[in-house]
Amino acid sequence: MQQIFNFLIRHKNTIFFLLLLSVSLFLTVQSHSYHKSKFVSSTNFLTGGLYDWMNDMGSYLHLREYNDRLVEENEYLRSLLFNENIEDSVIVKTDSTSFSGPFSVVSAKVISNNYSKTDNYLLLDRGKNEGIKADLGVITNNGIVGIVEETTKNFSRVLSILNSNSAINVRLKKSNHYGTLVWNGKNPNLVQLTYVPKIANVQKGDTVITGGKSFVFPEGIPVGIVHDFQLGKNESYYDIDIQLFNDMTNIGHVYVIENKNKQEFSKLNSSDDE
């Protein structure tokens, strides 16, 4: 306490000057409308800037929460999109992943992603507890990623399209010619489209989408564009390089798609093979 008194006595002139200055400024602002308006404007500018900064900080601290909400909403919208063209299907939302149509969607986060090997996999942070099982398709906002190969209670391993064992049914959007999407193990941005007949009118820049014949992916999901092509050795089919829409070296959130009619279709298909 004594130090405070000593400080006040030592700086009494300065403190008195600042007090008089404050009083004079206050009286000036109160008695002149111009000065008052300027003062109010300056105060609003400062407080507005402060509130804006606090709002930005609050938004930054809640980015993860906002991102999770967006992922959940995308999950719902994608389920609507995949089911909208199904005949006699009335789509009613009961929760974020349950619909009366054949396709359901579960969002997941990629916690591990390989792309530099010949046989690459991804690891997701969701598994059997969220209804994920083997042979379900995995996509992002930009295109296909792979197919679920194995699951535990809380995690899933995905066979990446950058895997020598991956083979996915796709088609050229413009000509409707089908082929098989594979990978030669070289460039993670380029995959190969095989078994497209030479009668197909293939051009660079043509869009490639999922074919819908495998019952793993809904028809029409983007894959990439034709980067280059040439006739194969037997000159009956094209060898086509596809530039992926997805950046397979940078995968964050994904969507796991289940076709609830797949098992029924598989039973009928196996009966035909007997």
Side-chain angles (χ1 to χ4, degrees):
M1 182 64 69
Q2 184 62 40
Q3 292 181 351
I4 296 176
F5 285 131
N6 292 336
F7 174 81
L8 293 175
I9 294 172
R10 189 164 54 250
H11 298 89
K12 62 181 183 298
N13 293 331
T14 302
I15 296 172
F16 185 65
F17 169 76
L18 293 175
L19 179 61
L20 290 177
L21 179 62
S22 300
V23 172
S24 62
L25 289 174
F26 174 77
L27 294 175
T28 301
V29 169
Q30 289 297 319
S31 60
H32 296 82
S33 59
Y34 174 79
H35 294 89
K36 187 174 183 179
S37 65
K38 288 296 183 181
F39 177 77
V40 172
S41 298
S42 300
T43 304
N44 289 338
F45 174 79
L46 293 174
T47 55
L50 179 61
Y51 284 132
D52 187 51
W53 177 81
M54 293 175 64
N55 182 66
D56 289 343
M57 285 297 297
S59 298
Y60 177 78
L61 294 174
H62 291 86
L63 276 178
R64 183 169 183 175
E65 178 185 346
Y66 298 153
N67 188 59
D68 289 342
R69 290 179 185 174
L70 286 174
V71 170
E72 290 179 1
E73 186 171 343
N74 281 337
E75 184 178 300
Y76 168 60
L77 293 175
R78 286 188 175 279
S79 294
L80 288 176
L81 178 64
F82 297 149
N83 289 292
E84 67 177 354
N85 294 322
I86 305 301
E87 294 182 2
D88 302 324
S89 175
V90 179
I91 304 171
V92 180
K93 181 181 179 185
T94 56
D95 57 43
S96 61
T97 60
S98 179
F99 297 84
S100 61
F103 294 106
S104 62
V105 180
V106 175
S107 62
K109 184 178 180 181
V110 176
I111 56 179
S112 176
N113 177 26
N114 302 127
Y115 50 84
S116 58
K117 303 176 182 178
T118 303
D119 296 323
N120 296 291
Y121 296 87
L122 300 94
L123 187 64
L124 309 183
D125 68 345
R126 292 195 173 187
K128 294 179 181 177
N129 288 343
E130 289 75 30
I132 297 178
K133 49 194 173 184
D135 297 327
L136 301 188
V138 181
I139 68 169
T140 69
N141 292 329
N142 296 320
I144 63 174
V145 172
I147 299 175
V148 175
E149 183 180 71
E150 187 178 357
T151 62
T152 62
K153 288 184 178 181
N154 301 302
F155 302 98
S156 302
R157 188 172 76 160
V158 177
L159 181 77
S160 172
I161 57 176
L162 304 182
N163 191 301
S164 63
N165 296 310
S166 175
I168 297 173
N169 172 257
V170 298
R171 67 178 173 88
L172 294 168
K173 184 177 182 180
K174 184 174 66 175
S175 67
N176 285 328
H177 284 90
Y178 288 83
T180 302
L181 196 73
V182 296
W183 189 51
N184 61 13
K186 296 179 180 179
N187 189 335
N189 296 313
L190 292 177
V191 293
Q192 287 65 51
L193 178 56
T194 60
Y195 300 115
V196 175
K198 68 177 181 180
I199 61 172
N201 182 22
V202 182
Q203 296 181 2
K204 289 185 179 181
D206 284 350
T207 301
V208 177
I209 59 177
T210 51
K213 289 187 175 182
S214 68
F215 275 72
V216 175
F217 295 99
E219 183 179 6
I221 296 178
V223 176
I225 60 173
V226 174
H227 177 74
D228 198 8
F229 65 95
Q230 60 183 3
L231 282 174
K233 294 180 180 179
N234 59 10
E235 296 189 353
S236 297
Y237 299 96
Y238 282 113
D239 292 330
I240 306 175
D241 284 334
I242 304 299
Q243 178 79 44
L244 293 170
F245 289 134
N246 258 331
D247 179 1
M248 292 299 294
T249 67
N250 183 23
I251 305 293
H253 283 89
V254 296
Y255 302 96
V256 183
I257 308 168
E258 179 181 7
N259 184 345
K260 290 177 282 187
N261 290 341
K262 181 183 177 183
Q263 187 174 4
E264 183 179 352
F265 170 79
S266 298
K267 287 181 179 179
L268 291 174
N269 195 41
S270 61
S271 298
D272 292 340
D273 295 337
E274 293 176 354

